[in-house]
Amino acid sequence: MKQTRLLLLTLLLFVGSISHRIYADGYEVDGYVYVKNGKSTVELVKAPSVYNLEGAVTVPSKVVISGKTYTVTSIGDEAFEGRRYMTSVTIPSTIQSIGDEAFQECDYYNTDKGEIDGLSKVIFAGVSNLKSIGANAFNSCGNLKSISLPSSVNYIGEYAFYYCQKLS
């Protein structure tokens, strides 16, 4: 009985020391959820909750899971959807694809200002390897004012920038 308790206590201490949580469909590290999509690569499939993600956000280029470093190569469908308090997002050069609806509805009506607020700028860091932007990727980002698409992009899905009325 004492051995069982000691084993359980040891197991609980070990699990508590792990820097990420394991989900049925991925791994959580610093609030982001990742799914392996290759031997040493992962897809970011879920960003932290809307209330935990504010201001300027930088998508990680690498993540450590179980002591192994993985390169983040894609942003999954709906990963940042509705994260309305972001003001800008920097996308690292490791990202090759942005999924459908990845940043959809990243805006809100700010009653104090009397205008649309939220994501206003998308920055591609370094020499971008981005090849595709999914359908509705930035749909309804009504405050989006600035994005310079990399020359590496060869596919933009339907309505990727629909209802981005401040974008010129």
Side-chain angles (χ1 to χ4, degrees):
M1 185 69 159
K2 282 186 179 183
Q3 287 179 329
T4 303
R5 286 184 187 161
L6 182 60
L7 180 62
L8 284 173
L9 180 61
T10 304
L11 183 61
L12 285 173
L13 289 172
F14 173 74
V15 169
S17 69
I18 296 175
S19 64
H20 64 274
R21 284 189 251 169
I22 300 172
Y23 285 84
D25 59 345
Y27 303 86
E28 181 183 326
V29 180
D30 298 328
Y32 292 91
V33 178
Y34 301 90
V35 171
K36 293 178 186 177
N37 62 359
K39 192 173 184 177
S40 60
T41 60
V42 292
E43 175 176 350
L44 190 159
V45 295
K46 185 178 178 195
S49 79
V50 64
Y51 301 107
N52 293 329
L53 201 61
E54 297 181 8
V57 172
T58 299
V59 174
S61 61
K62 298 203 179 283
V63 63
V64 177
I65 300 171
S66 301
K68 183 176 178 183
T69 302
Y70 292 85
T71 301
V72 182
T73 58
S74 59
I75 298 171
D77 296 350
E78 304 173 2
F80 286 85
E81 181 180 23
R83 302 318 192 268
R84 60 185 67 105
Y85 301 115
M86 292 189 306
T87 55
S88 68
V89 63
T90 301
I91 298 173
S93 62
T94 59
I95 299 297
Q96 297 173 13
S97 66
I98 296 174
D100 296 346
E101 303 169 1
F103 293 93
Q104 180 173 265
E105 297 177 355
C106 287
D107 69 359
Y108 69 102
Y109 185 76
N110 185 326
T111 55
D112 294 334
K113 292 181 179 179
E115 62 184 34
I116 300 289
D117 213 342
L119 183 62
S120 65
K121 188 174 189 179
V122 178
I123 303 158
F124 294 96
V127 178
S128 180
N129 289 298
L130 185 67
K131 293 174 180 50
S132 67
I133 298 173
N136 298 298
F138 294 92
N139 183 353
S140 297
C141 290
N143 196 46
L144 185 58
K145 299 171 191 159
S146 175
I147 183 170
S148 293
L149 296 178
S151 60
S152 57
V153 174
N154 58 30
Y155 174 79
I156 299 175
E158 288 186 314
Y159 303 106
F161 297 96
Y162 185 73
Y163 200 65
C164 294
Q165 67 268 27
K166 292 185 181 178
L167 192 58
S168 56

